Amino acid sequence: MPETAAAAPDIVHCQGERFRLYLSEEEIQTRIRALGEQIATDYADLGVPILIGVLNGAFIFTADLMRAIPGDSEVDFYKLSSYGERKVSSGQVTELKDIDAKLEGRHVIVVEDIVDTGLSMKYVIDQITARNPASLRAATLLRKPDAAKVEVSVDYVGFDIDNLFVIGYGLDYGQLARNLRAIYILDEESEEEASA
Ligand code: PRP
């Protein structure tokens, strides 16, 4: 179990491994407020956007982003899996739950917690494009430019990060750590100490 659900300490342990703070709760929330304001401005003359959160990882970011957008918005969810229990993306996107809302003629914003290889985001964009939305944009809290395997355009990016394994704020390690309020990276130093 991660050590705490409520606070965002500097060090946490998950699945027997040590992780250190990478993006604080305050940094995350400040950035989300800015993204929410930007989206509100962009959609003021366009129409009410519908956010499509990609489960499971994006459930927390979707909730916080929606609440950071002043004015109307709708939400629905799409459930995919690409990582399984591993630390690296399997490269295989599996669809676990379809979107219920009708997207034809709607202003859709796909919401991801992370764009890693880009395969999941590309899959979602291709699926939604086929449903003829009036417009389609993409948002992600995190993006790893160095891990990209496919080119995918993302309109709203919280943070570009190094190619590191991250947990917290919706992102899991073997389904744990999603409840952490901050983002953590594997503490490589402690791994090196352990193997020395
Ligand atoms: C993660 C994350 C993204 C995807 C990003 O999902 O939430 O959807 O991987 O990786 P990619 O850019 O390499 O496709 P995961 O498959 O771990 O499922 P989860 O959201 O349920 O944790």
Side-chain angles (χ1 to χ4, degrees):
M1 273 272 293
E3 284 168 342
T4 177
D10 288 347
I11 298 289
V12 296
H13 291 87
C14 184
Q15 307 283 13
E17 296 184 61
R18 186 180 145 107
F19 292 80
R20 64 187 158 82
L21 188 63
Y22 187 64
L23 292 169
S24 71
E25 181 178 2
E26 192 183 346
E27 284 175 285
I28 294 167
Q29 293 301 331
T30 300
R31 186 72 188 112
I32 292 174
R33 277 196 294 277
L35 291 177
E37 294 289 345
Q38 182 65 53
I39 289 171
T41 303
D42 293 352
Y43 285 79
D45 297 326
L46 205 58
V48 174
I50 178 165
L51 309 185
I52 301 296
V54 183
L55 296 172
N56 287 336
F59 77 113
I60 291 176
F61 178 46
T62 305
D64 282 351
L65 183 63
M66 188 178 195
R67 289 179 294 182
I69 302 170
D72 289 335
S73 61
E74 294 181 26
V75 69
D76 199 359
F77 293 94
Y78 199 17
K79 183 162 176 164
L80 302 180
S81 180
S82 71
Y83 270 69
E85 300 304 306
R86 289 170 292 201
K87 281 189 196 152
V88 289
S89 178
S90 66
Q92 182 74 39
V93 179
T94 309
E95 192 174 305
L96 302 175
K97 179 209 165 287
D98 198 2
I99 304 157
D100 295 316
K102 294 265 173 295
L103 298 182
E104 187 169 356
R106 302 300 312 275
H107 296 290
V108 178
I109 305 175
V110 178
V111 182
E112 268 285 22
D113 49 331
I114 187 165
V115 173
D116 195 321
T117 63
L119 289 167
S120 300
M121 184 61 100
K122 184 177 184 327
Y123 181 91
V124 176
I125 286 173
D126 288 349
Q127 293 295 318
I128 294 178
T129 300
R131 299 176 195 198
N132 299 316
S135 69
L136 177 55
R137 289 185 182 172
T140 187
L141 180 67
L142 306 175
R143 179 173 63 180
K144 292 183 184 175
D146 295 342
K149 285 191 179 158
V150 287
E151 208 172 301
V152 61
S153 151
V154 184
D155 305 278
Y156 305 103
V157 178
F159 303 91
D160 274 326
I161 63 168
D162 293 331
N163 194 3
L164 304 163
F165 181 62
V166 283
I167 62 167
Y169 197 78
L171 292 127
D172 74 306
Y173 182 18
Q175 297 305 327
L176 297 179
R178 296 192 197 272
N179 57 334
L180 297 170
R181 291 170 183 264
I183 304 268
Y184 293 83
I185 55 169
L186 196 59
D187 193 356
E188 309 274 6
E189 274 177 34
S190 75
E191 284 213 324
E192 282 164 19
E193 278 165 25
S195 62

